[in-house]
Structure formats: C-alpha cells, structure tokens
Amino acid sequence: MGTVQVRAQNIQVGNILWIQENDELPCDLVLLGTSDPQGVCYIETAALDGETDLKTRIIPPVCMGIDYELLHKIKGVIECPGPDRDIRRFDANLRLFPPFLDNDLCPLTIKNTILQSCYLRNTEWACGVAVYTGNETKLGMCRGIPKPKLTAVDAVIDKLTGAIFVFQIVVVIVLGIAGNVWKDTEARRQWYVHYPMEGPWFELLVIPLRFELLCSIMIPISIKVSLDLVKSLYAKFIDWDYKMIDQETGTPSHAANTAISEDLGQVEYILTDKTGTLTENKMIFRRCCINGIFYGSESGDALKDVELVDAVSSGSADVVRFLTVMAICNTVIPMKSKTGDILYKAQSQDEDALVRAAAQLHLVFFNKNANILEITFHASTIQYEVLETLEFTSDRKKMSVIVKDCQNGRIHLFSKGADEAILPDAYSGQKTRVFVEAVEQYTQLGLRTLCLACRELNEDEYREWSFLFKEASSNLVDREWRIAEVCQMLEHDLEILGVTAIEDRLQDGVPETIETLRKAGINFWMLTGDKQNTAIQIALSCNFISPDPKGQLLSIDGKTEAEVHRSLERVLLTMRITTTEPKDVAFVIDGWALEIALKYYRNAFTELAILTRTAICCRVTPSQKAQLVELLKSCEYRTLAIGDGGNDVRMIQQADIGVGISGREGLQAARAADYSIGKFRFLKRLILVHGRYSYNRTAFLSQYSFYKSLLLCFIQIFFSFISGVSGTSLFNSFSLMAYNVFYTSIPVLVSVLDKDLSEETVMQHPQILFYCQAGRLLNPSTFAGWFGRSLFHAIVVFVISINAYAYEKSEMEEVSMVALSGCIWLQAFVVTWETNSFTILQHIAIWGNLAAFYIINLILSALPSSGMHTIMFRLCRQPSYWTTVFLMVAAGMGPILALKYFRYTYRPSKINILQQAERMGGPILSIASIEPQPRSLEKDVSSLSITQPKNRNPVYEPLLSDSPNTRRSLGSGKPFDLFQSQSRLSPSYSSNCKDN
C-alpha cells in the first residue's frame, strides 16, 4: 500500500488520509480504521472547544473487521449535509460498495468523525476519508470577524467629537465670511496689503480653506492612538497582577480584549453561571437514597455510612443494581496508569464522581474494550456488552445505555437523569413519593441530584426498537428530534432505583465578592441549568439573596401562557409595592416559564428585570442565557457575563464584557471571553481596581487631549483678529507638528500610573464605583469644563503674549515662541494638578518633557535653515520672557486652584474626603449596608405604565450626600464614619463637573 505526503491545502474531499500519533487533523474526516483492534482512537479537542480531557472516537460498525491493508481500495458513498458550524453534531450516512458490504446503510455521528485542529493521542495511527476541507470545515465555518465592542467611553468620545466637528465648521464658515468681508472693505485700503482688484471665482474659498487648516487640530487625531496605547497598558496591568493569580493551579488572569478595560468600571449587571463559576466544580458524592433507604444523612458522607457499607458487603440486590448504573451508565473511559491504578477520563464531573463513588464501594469499572465493559465486584468480574447509547441532551435531560449481560444474555436499560425526566416514567404501581422527598431534601442542602432507574428488555422488543432507532439515526433531517422520539418509546415503565446527591462546594471568597460588588451598585443574575431548589440554596449561601425577613424571593412559574401571565403579574405587583420598602426582593424563574415570558410578555418581563436587583433563572439553555443578556443590553445597561463552560460561550460573547473562568470544564469559555481569571473571587479586583482605574485614566486622557488641541486652536483664532482675519498661522509648521507629537503627548501617557485612591481604600469602599457607573468623570458637563478651561487659557496666553510683543516690540516669531512656551508651561501644571499620585516616571515625564522642549528649540535655534535661527537664545536671555511665562501660569492656574480649593473645602465629593483621609492617615470606619433605590424603565414600553424615571444605577444616598459632620470629623484625628449622612440627593446629581 503506497502513501503520499500532501500539504493540507491540497487535500480534497474524498481523499483517504493516514494520521500518525500526535498529528494535528488538517480537515474534517470520517474514521475508517485505527491501530486499535476495536476501532477506537483518542483525540484532544482543546484547540476546538477548550476541553482538556481526551475523547474517544470509533469507526463505523460496517468498517469493523476490514483489513487495514485494503482500506486504500475501499469504495462507497457518504451522504452528509452541507457545511455548518455545529461542532457537536454530524448527521450523515455511510454506504459501502461490494465487495466490502452490499449497500448496507450505516448512520454516522460526531462519534465517528475527527474535526480539524484536533490532535490524535494515545493511538499509533488512524485513517479516514475527508468530508470537509479548507474553510468549509466546522472550525472554518465557526471562524469569523468578531463584532467590535464599543465602550461607553468610546460612545461619549464619538459624540463629543461630532459636537466639536460641528463647532469647527461653524467657526470656519464665520471666520471665512469675515475674512472675505475684511478683504473687500478694509484690506484694499491698506497700503501694505497688495490684493488684486479682481481675481478668479474660487478666491472666495481661499480664506475659509485657510481657517479649515488652522482649525483642523481642533479634533485631536492622536487621541485614538493614545487611547489604544494606554488601553494596551491597562490589559498588561491585568496580565501582570500577581494578586489575581490562582495559587492552586498557577493560572494568571489574562486580558484577551485590550479595548474595553474602562467598561469594567461601569458594569451594572453581572450574569453568572453557577456550576464551576460560583462553585468549585469538584463533585463529591455525599448522600444517596436507595429503594427508600437514606444513606449518609447522619454523617453527611454516604461512602462512610456503616449501613451502606454493610449492604454492599452483604451483596444487597438493590444496592448492587444501583451501583452498577452508577458505574456504567456514562461516557467515562477507564485507563490504567504506569503504577496500575485506574484513572478515569470523564467529560462530566458528575459522571466522574459517580464512577469513583461506585469504585470506593467496591464496584469498580476497570476496563472498556470497544463495546465490552468490565466491572469487578467482590473479586468477581462482570462483563456487559453495550448495544446502544442514548446520549444526554438538554431537552431529554437524561441518558441511557442498553447493555447485554454477557453471563446470562439478559438485556437491560440503565438510565440516569433529572428527577422531572426520570420519575414520571416510573412503572405504574411504584411509589415514587419517597424519591421525590429525597430530591427535595437534597436540593434544600444545595446538593446536585440525579435519579437512577433500570428496566429489563426482551429480545423481540429490543430488536423491533433497534430497527426504529437505526432508521432514525440514518435520517439526515431532524435526526436529533427523531432519535429523542424513538428513545422515549423505550424509556418508560422504569424501575426507580434511587437518588444520588453530589456536593459542589462554593469557591473561596464567593460570598464576600458578591457582597462587595452588590455594595458597589452591581446587580446579579444567576443563570443555571440546575434545579430551582439547588440554585436557591447556592444563592443563599453566596449572598445572592437575603433570607427572611430582610429578603423576599418571588417565584414565576407555569406551563401555559395563562399561568405564566398570572404569575408574572403577581410578581410585578409585589415588586412595585416593595420598591419603596428597604427590602431585598428577588425573583426565580425556570426555563419553561422564561421561554413563555420572553416570547409573549417581553415588556412586562423587562419591567421586572429593571425593578429587581437579583434574579435566579433555573433550567435555562445556552440560547436563553444569551437572550437575557440581550434583554438587559436593550435597556442600555452595561452587562458582564461570567462562566466556565462551553454552554456559557454564547452568553459571554453577547455581553458587553465577557469573563471566562479557566476551570475544570476546560478553556472554551476562557478563550471566547474578553478576560479570563482563575477564580470568581478575582472578579472583585478586576472591576473595582482595574476597571475603575481604567475608567478614571481614560476619562482624563480623552478630555485632556481635546483641551490641549483646543487651546492651540483658540490662540490661532484669536490671532486672526489682529491679522486681518486672513487665516495666517501664528506658529510655524514644526511647532504645530511637534506640539502633539513631542511636547504634550508624553506627560499625559504616564497618567496610566495615576491612582486617585489606594487599592485598599477602593476595596474597602466599593460604593465609589458609582461615580464611574454614572459617568461622572466623562460627560458633556465635564467636557464643558475642559472646553471652558482651554478657552480661558487661550485668552490668557494670547493677551499676555501680544501685550509683551507690543511692549518689547519683538518680532512675530518671538511672540509665537512666547505663546507656545506659555501653552507648554500651562499644560505641565495642568497635568501636575490633575495627577493624584506621583511616581518617578511621572516627574520625569512632566518636567523632563518641559526641559526637552527647551533643548529641542535651542537646537533648532542654532540651525540657520530651521526658520527659528537665534530666536530661543534671545528669549532665554531676556528676563521679560520668564516674567511673561510666569504671568501666564499664574493667571491661568490661579482661578483653577481657587475653584479647586473651594470645592475641596466646602463641597468635597466622597472621593475627595477619602483622599484627604488617606493623606492624613486617619482610620475610616467600615460602612453599613446601603439600600439602593429601585430602577425603572428608561425607554417607552407600550404595554406598561411606569411613572418613575430610570436611574442608570441605584442612587446611594449616603454616598452622594455632603455632610458637614463628616467634614468636621476629618480634622479631629479620630475615626469617622464616611457614609453617615442620610440626606437625599436631587435628580440632577449627574450634572456636576469633575469630582476629583
């Protein structure tokens, strides 16, 4: 048999490929043979879906027994659908031509395929036929250009840029008209102006175009470059944060998206998964109920329950059957280590916990050889042949295996799944009440429950069903639905064996993290596929909801539209009433009711989402998680979604900010997210520290960029009034270029190191995040302050420069340099005054940049061809130059310092008070819980009557109030309570200017 090495780009559909161990798959192929006699191979799919555990793939049954030497001669047809992006499904059929098999149709599934970018592991070789290649592979179809995420700061900057552009056009038009009028009236009378009496028709456009060039710097082109640079540094700060490294696994935090760091400081809703996100996803078998007998209730550990151990030792039939279902009704692969120990490779942590628990109770699943499963019990080996596997789906909520006992030939159906999927299928006459009580008891303890069942099948029944199952498995249209329908034909009249209870512990620091972020005004929604009672217990454990009487949990349920509508109206009425009461109200809803609510009562559900701070959504699908994110985004809230598994990817990608946890479920969520962290508790630092600092720094940098450009532009405009409105530039071309590139860019870039408050203070007082959420540092009001500052400074610089020119009778080049020097000095002091914490780098950047300004201009003054020959030398020798610069700085900064002093002394913000406390070193008392005001809709909703205005975030009244008592206590040197005032804030609180 001859083989030829080919490049991946030359592979065509229908080619038979041989893959060696550890090779990466270049295309999607259907397995035809492997080096394993049973036709099994192992693959690693981490590059595809992030899952780190090895998965098995098997060759189709029709290929069993074919000599691999003849594989290159095999002929047949594969019927498959067109290329799609679903990496978990492959519905196709294989038909081999004689002499291999006489047109027997064999269904193919994803279990018979290896997808592109997977790696072949623990298998010497495998071969298969290419079905999708190039960009038509499932991975290739999943590739695409991700939608860029626009941050709230970017949106504000874009609006401000548009406003400045309109202002620029108005200025150009007004000055252009004024220039033409002056030219036609006054200019021709002046002996030193030589305008021709008549000119071409386009001469009217010359002066407006000059002013367009002069005003072109009004919009700083460098702002996008500067923002991209500092945002990259923000991302690096997250990567370098040693306090966000998971010491248990050594996993650091990582920022995959460098463009949205400031949005972390404006998060209003966090939507979180439960299993593996709030919990450790380390499943531990705790309790069980077998045939009505509860084990582990006293000790809390069924594996150490003497009664259960004795029942296993005595060979109790009920217990043995229960353990058998635990051991073999799964997709676990047992593997022997070099030391002889049995290692289990499981795709589900629940299955891994059940198999290990059965092994600890002496029923050990130790070998899987193709379709033969081997277990040992009391030194005897039992073999089962797997006839069919009815896989778990989110719709069926259960899985089953059909096995044949190799000793007596009996056929059994073993099933496990959720109680609502298993208990209704119990045979008539069996009392299931005790199992229902067991499920309720275990879920009240926050344990995850599964029901186990079995049924014996006769040969004829199985043979008839197998024909239907094979026919459904061969269908190319709606295969999954048809298979589920056929499975239901067999999964009935089950004998319920018992209930398992698995503990999934909360991660360390989860309750504290949620409590802190709730104080920061962030709302939490839990979206889980788990049972309602289990989710509620976890929510209580991690401070999601408060127990009675402080908290109140409302339930939305129902299976029909009418039932859901009544339940929703009842909850809405209660929410409207309790919004005026200091009570923590939340609601819980299951996936079925949620589907009806989103489809038929979306407006009412939207109002409910705004009125509540906490929601628990149970039994939800990945698509429903994404719908809930979209619902909150439609209300213009900033959302953050966090999860750890593949079922969270859609939610993570839909949210404004996606955070993935690198957990036991693999890296699929982490790779699809904007940020990845090792544990949920790091979310607190990610938001309060990195998010808040990023927002503060970006707000300053963006407004300062406009300020420095407007400052120079206003000076040019003022100069036009003494230059005949001719559009002549006061500054030379080099100064205009170097102004943005050298003179003013470096000091502001070092603002990425600025911290208005220490990290400890920020973590201790999370309420100050409200300033970021409400956009208090970057809005039209604060921008108007910077706009006015630039106008005032331009007037100061221009007036003093021109007066110095008239007094000294200097050349215009010297006046230009005096004005430019005034701008540079003023900006150095502006940056210094706006900086809260200084480092060596910041001092070097501010004052070193000022020194560099003189060095550069002195060098240029020494060059005869520079156009600035000897100018700087003359100015620096004149005392009047330094006096003029001093007057500019004093006149420009004096009113600003006075205003700052007044606000810091008589109207300090809470941030100012915390800054003063830090400088004085006085202790700050911890704050009590603060209840937010309810939210309401911002947009008009036709079917709702909502009267209260929508607040972008809960208003923390004590936080935003200004208490004279608080200010007086600062100077006493005694501990003071920062948030002791209870005064109300007017609705216009967000119109104030910059607070710090």
Side-chain angles (χ1 to χ4, degrees):
M1 177 178 63
T3 59
V4 179
Q5 288 188 350
V6 295
R7 295 180 178 271
Q9 63 189 27
N10 297 326
I11 296 175
Q12 298 180 358
V13 174
N15 290 158
I16 295 180
L17 306 180
W18 259 260
I19 308 298
Q20 303 297 322
E21 185 176 5
N22 297 325
D23 281 352
E24 180 182 2
L25 271 293
C27 63
D28 295 348
L29 61 83
V30 171
L31 273 176
L32 296 179
T34 72
S35 58
D36 186 88
Q38 305 299 326
V40 178
C41 70
Y42 301 92
I43 62 171
E44 178 186 299
T45 61
L48 185 67
D49 57 13
E51 305 296 340
T52 54
D53 291 331
L54 296 183
K55 297 179 176 60
T56 57
R57 293 294 185 263
I58 59 175
I59 65 175
V62 296
C63 297
M64 291 288 186
I66 298 179
D67 189 350
Y68 77 92
E69 294 288 346
L70 301 177
L71 284 175
H72 68 289
K73 297 182 179 180
I74 198 169
K75 293 183 180 181
V77 173
I78 295 179
E79 303 170 353
C80 59
D84 61 65
R85 62 180 64 194
D86 191 347
I87 64 174
R88 291 173 175 78
R89 290 186 59 187
F90 179 69
D91 300 335
N93 294 319
L94 171 65
R95 190 190 304 272
L96 297 183
F97 295 157
F100 295 96
L101 205 63
D102 190 9
N103 292 330
D104 191 11
L105 194 66
C106 176
L108 301 176
T109 67
I110 197 67
K111 292 289 186 181
N112 309 120
T113 62
I114 309 179
L115 302 184
Q116 184 187 34
S117 293
C118 296
Y119 286 84
L120 186 67
R121 304 295 192 197
N122 297 344
T123 307
E124 185 179 348
W125 60 265
C127 70
V129 57
V131 288
Y132 301 126
T133 62
N135 290 329
E136 293 184 346
T137 63
K138 290 185 177 291
L139 181 61
M141 296 294 290
C142 289
R143 296 192 188 103
I145 301 175
K147 295 181 180 179
K149 294 185 176 181
L150 181 68
T151 66
V153 170
D154 289 335
V156 174
I157 292 175
D158 290 345
K159 292 177 181 178
L160 295 177
T161 302
I164 293 296
F165 178 74
V166 173
F167 175 73
Q168 174 184 330
I169 296 299
V170 171
V171 169
V172 169
I173 293 175
V174 171
L175 294 180
I177 294 175
N180 281 311
V181 171
W182 188 89
K183 181 185 68 174
D184 294 335
T185 56
E186 296 295 329
R188 303 188 192 283
R189 300 176 185 176
Q190 306 300 329
W191 61 270
Y192 54 85
V193 179
H194 299 286
Y195 275 119
M197 297 303 296
E198 294 183 3
W201 63 270
F202 56 81
E203 189 175 351
L204 292 174
L205 301 177
V206 173
I207 293 180
L209 289 176
R210 288 178 182 174
F211 280 108
E212 175 60 31
L213 291 175
L214 289 181
C215 295
S216 61
I217 63 172
M218 193 176 289
I219 298 177
I221 301 177
S222 61
I223 187 173
K224 288 297 183 183
V225 178
S226 300
L227 287 176
D228 287 345
L229 179 58
V230 298
K231 287 181 179 182
S232 299
L233 291 175
Y234 299 157
K236 286 300 179 182
F237 291 158
I238 295 174
D239 293 348
W240 296 336
D241 193 344
Y242 69 93
K243 293 183 179 179
M244 293 176 62
I245 297 177
D246 183 13
Q247 299 299 329
E248 181 181 347
T249 61
T251 304
S253 57
H254 175 64
N257 191 335
T258 61
I260 61 173
S261 295
E262 63 271 22
D263 252 6
L264 286 168
Q266 296 190 283
V267 171
E268 296 168 285
Y269 274 85
I270 292 179
L271 299 98
T272 175
D273 179 40
K274 182 181 72 67
T275 305
T277 303
L278 302 176
T279 61
E280 292 183 346
N281 202 17
K282 294 180 180 178
M283 307 301 179
I284 303 174
F285 186 86
R286 284 302 184 195
R287 305 187 184 191
C288 62
C289 173
I290 305 176
N291 197 24
I293 302 176
F294 289 80
Y295 297 102
S297 299
E298 299 295 333
S299 63
D301 188 353
L303 299 179
K304 297 180 180 179
D305 192 315
V306 177
E307 293 185 14
L308 180 59
V309 174
D310 292 341
V312 173
S313 301
S314 62
S316 170
D318 293 331
V319 173
V320 171
R321 286 194 301 166
F322 184 85
L323 295 178
T324 301
V325 177
M326 284 176 54
I328 67 177
C329 185
N330 50 58
T331 58
V332 175
I333 303 170
M335 301 180 67
K336 284 189 178 181
S337 65
K338 295 180 180 179
T339 59
D341 297 330
I342 304 296
L343 301 178
Y344 295 111
K345 295 291 184 180
Q347 301 179 31
S348 167
Q349 300 300 323
D350 296 86
E351 291 184 344
D352 182 72
L354 293 177
V355 174
R356 291 180 182 276
Q360 287 183 265
L361 293 172
H362 308 294
L363 197 148
V364 182
F365 175 31
F366 73 94
N367 186 34
K368 184 175 184 179
N369 191 355
N371 291 333
I372 303 299
L373 310 179
E374 294 181 310
I375 59 176
T376 59
F377 183 66
H378 288 169
S380 62
T381 301
I382 307 172
Q383 290 185 338
Y384 289 96
E385 179 186 357
V386 179
L387 302 179
E388 297 290 352
T389 300
L390 313 184
E391 297 183 355
F392 173 87
T393 66
S394 57
D395 294 327
R396 283 168 28 84
K397 298 180 182 179
K398 58 186 172 184
M399 80 158 292
S400 302
V401 292
I402 302 175
V403 296
K404 182 177 182 180
D405 192 329
C406 296
Q407 294 177 335
N408 53 35
R410 292 180 178 177
I411 300 176
H412 300 275
L413 171 72
F414 293 151
S415 297
K416 78 171 190 298
D419 56 293
E420 68 264 31
I422 297 293
L423 296 182
D425 291 326
Y427 69 86
S428 59
Q430 184 177 16
K431 297 180 180 180
T432 59
R433 182 177 182 83
V434 65
F435 300 114
V436 173
E437 292 176 352
V439 170
E440 292 179 354
Q441 176 182 329
Y442 294 150
T443 52
Q444 288 294 329
L445 298 173
L447 303 177
R448 297 163 60 88
T449 59
L450 285 173
C451 293
L452 308 186
C454 70
R455 179 188 170 208
E456 186 172 345
L457 309 176
N458 59 56
E459 288 280 353
D460 295 335
E461 181 184 14
Y462 168 71
R463 191 178 300 109
E464 181 181 351
W465 177 88
S466 178
F467 175 79
L468 297 175
F469 182 76
K470 185 175 181 180
E471 184 180 9
S473 301
S474 303
N475 203 299
L476 298 180
V477 180
D478 295 330
R479 175 181 292 187
E480 185 174 343
W481 178 80
R482 292 179 181 273
I483 289 178
E485 188 179 35
V486 173
C487 290
Q488 190 60 36
M489 297 171 60
L490 202 64
E491 295 171 326
H492 62 84
D493 293 335
L494 301 176
E495 179 184 357
I496 311 301
L497 299 177
V499 180
T500 64
I502 299 174
E503 179 187 22
D504 190 7
R505 296 176 180 173
L506 280 180
Q507 294 182 16
D508 293 336
V510 167
E512 295 80 6
T513 299
I514 293 176
E515 182 180 5
T516 301
L517 293 178
R518 281 169 64 87
K519 289 179 180 179
I522 298 176
N523 297 343
F524 275 88
W525 282 31
M526 179 193 291
L527 314 181
T528 177
D530 224 334
K531 283 183 61 63
Q532 179 171 308
N533 289 337
T534 303
I536 292 174
Q537 292 305 314
I538 294 296
L540 286 168
S541 302
C542 61
N543 292 331
F544 244 89
I545 54 179
S546 304
D548 288 333
K550 183 180 178 181
Q552 183 178 5
L553 183 62
L554 307 174
S555 178
I556 302 174
D557 49 26
K559 297 297 183 181
T560 64
E561 293 181 34
E563 292 175 351
V564 173
H565 181 260
R566 286 194 299 269
S567 181
L568 187 58
E569 284 296 323
R570 173 179 52 81
V571 172
L572 262 176
L573 180 61
T574 306
M575 293 295 295
R576 291 184 183 124
I577 295 173
T578 55
T579 50
T580 58
E581 300 177 7
K583 199 167 188 179
D584 185 10
V585 183
F587 73 87
V588 59
I589 187 172
D590 62 16
W592 187 273
L594 178 63
E595 187 73 23
I596 296 175
L598 290 176
K599 186 175 182 180
Y600 299 104
Y601 309 108
R602 188 179 183 88
N603 290 338
F605 188 78
T606 301
E607 181 188 3
L608 178 63
I610 293 173
L611 290 176
T612 184
R613 297 194 62 200
T614 306
I616 303 173
C617 304
C618 310
R619 298 298 194 190
V620 292
T621 64
S623 61
Q624 287 177 327
K625 291 183 178 183
Q627 289 178 49
L628 290 173
V629 174
E630 181 61 32
L631 175 75
L632 294 175
K633 287 178 64 178
S634 67
C635 299
E636 298 185 2
Y637 291 113
R638 285 283 147 179
T639 58
L640 182 149
I642 180 170
D644 73 315
N647 60 334
D648 302 316
V649 169
R650 291 186 64 181
M651 172 182 69
I652 287 173
Q653 292 178 333
Q654 185 66 43
D656 294 304
I657 304 169
V659 179
I661 293 182
S662 305
R664 297 171 65 87
E665 287 293 331
L667 300 175
Q668 188 174 359
R671 290 180 175 178
D674 301 304
Y675 300 92
S676 63
I677 55 179
K679 289 288 188 295
F680 183 86
R681 67 177 181 270
F682 299 135
L683 187 64
K684 175 171 64 175
R685 183 172 177 83
L686 184 67
I687 292 176
L688 296 180
V689 175
H690 293 283
R692 184 178 176 277
Y693 284 156
S694 297
Y695 172 78
N696 288 355
R697 294 160 179 169
T698 302
F700 167 70
L701 186 147
S702 56
Q703 294 178 113
Y704 175 83
S705 298
F706 280 105
Y707 156 78
K708 64 186 180 68
S709 296
L710 288 169
L711 171 60
L712 203 67
C713 192
F714 280 141
I715 293 176
Q716 297 270 52
I717 293 173
F718 295 150
F719 178 70
S720 67
F721 293 117
I722 65 171
S723 62
V725 202
S726 60
T728 304
S729 175
L730 175 63
F731 306 103
N732 60 56
S733 58
F734 177 82
S735 296
L736 290 175
M737 178 196 69
Y739 179 77
N740 278 322
V741 176
F742 300 111
Y743 300 153
T744 59
S745 60
I746 296 178
V748 72
L749 290 179
V750 189
S751 65
V752 297
L753 302 175
D754 187 39
K755 296 180 179 180
D756 61 335
L757 295 169
S758 66
E759 296 178 4
E760 293 75 15
T761 301
V762 172
M763 300 289 273
Q764 185 181 357
H765 302 286
Q767 289 91 336
I768 60 176
L769 187 70
F770 169 74
Y771 289 97
C772 301
Q773 295 171 327
R776 293 287 295 274
L777 304 184
L778 178 59
N779 53 57
S781 178
T782 60
F783 181 76
W786 282 94
F787 186 91
R789 182 185 298 190
S790 65
L791 180 61
F792 171 67
H793 283 176
I795 293 174
V796 169
V797 171
F798 179 74
V799 170
I800 295 178
S801 300
I802 292 301
N803 287 335
Y805 159 72
Y807 179 77
E808 297 288 342
K809 297 182 180 179
S810 304
E811 298 177 357
M812 191 54 65
E813 289 83 358
E814 293 181 359
V815 177
S816 170
M817 190 54 62
V818 170
L820 185 63
S821 300
C823 292
I824 302 303
W825 276 92
L826 274 174
Q827 288 174 65
F829 277 91
V830 167
V831 174
T832 302
W833 184 250
E834 296 294 336
T835 300
N836 297 283
S837 60
F838 283 97
T839 63
I840 295 298
L841 285 177
Q842 286 166 304
H843 282 294
I844 293 175
I846 295 173
W847 308 116
N849 183 77
L850 191 60
F853 165 75
Y854 284 98
I855 294 173
I856 292 173
N857 283 280
L858 286 172
I859 294 175
L860 292 174
S861 297
L863 301 176
S865 60
S866 65
M868 299 173 56
H869 189 48
T870 71
I871 291 178
M872 207 62 191
F873 291 108
R874 290 190 307 230
L875 288 177
C876 290
R877 287 196 298 265
Q878 298 174 5
S880 59
Y881 167 76
W882 300 104
T883 303
T884 302
V885 171
F886 174 78
L887 289 175
M888 291 179 187
V889 174
M893 296 300 298
I896 295 177
L897 298 181
L899 180 61
K900 285 281 186 179
Y901 175 79
F902 173 80
R903 295 186 61 192
Y904 269 66
T905 305
Y906 300 104
R907 295 191 60 188
S909 67
K910 294 309 173 188
I911 294 178
N912 301 149
I913 296 175
L914 287 172
Q915 289 172 335
Q916 294 176 35
E918 283 189 346
R919 296 188 183 103
M920 297 175 64
I924 304 174
L925 295 180
S926 59
I927 60 176
S929 60
I930 301 174
E931 298 297 336
Q933 290 182 351
R935 298 172 180 236
S936 57
L937 279 175
E938 178 181 32
K939 296 184 176 181
D940 293 331
V941 183
S942 58
S943 63
L944 301 177
S945 58
I946 302 171
T947 57
Q948 57 266 48
K950 172 186 180 292
N951 297 323
R952 287 284 302 178
N953 222 48
V955 178
Y956 291 99
E957 295 142 359
L959 174 64
L960 297 176
S961 62
D962 295 315
S963 171
N965 296 330
T966 302
R967 292 193 295 272
R968 284 196 296 269
S969 64
L970 278 174
S972 64
K974 298 179 181 180
F976 63 93
D977 190 348
L978 176 64
F979 301 99
Q980 57 184 315
S981 174
Q982 299 295 327
S983 61
R984 292 271 178 179
L985 183 74
S986 64
S988 60
Y989 65 88
S990 61
S991 62
N992 296 330
C993 294
K994 189 172 182 289
D995 293 286
N996 63 334

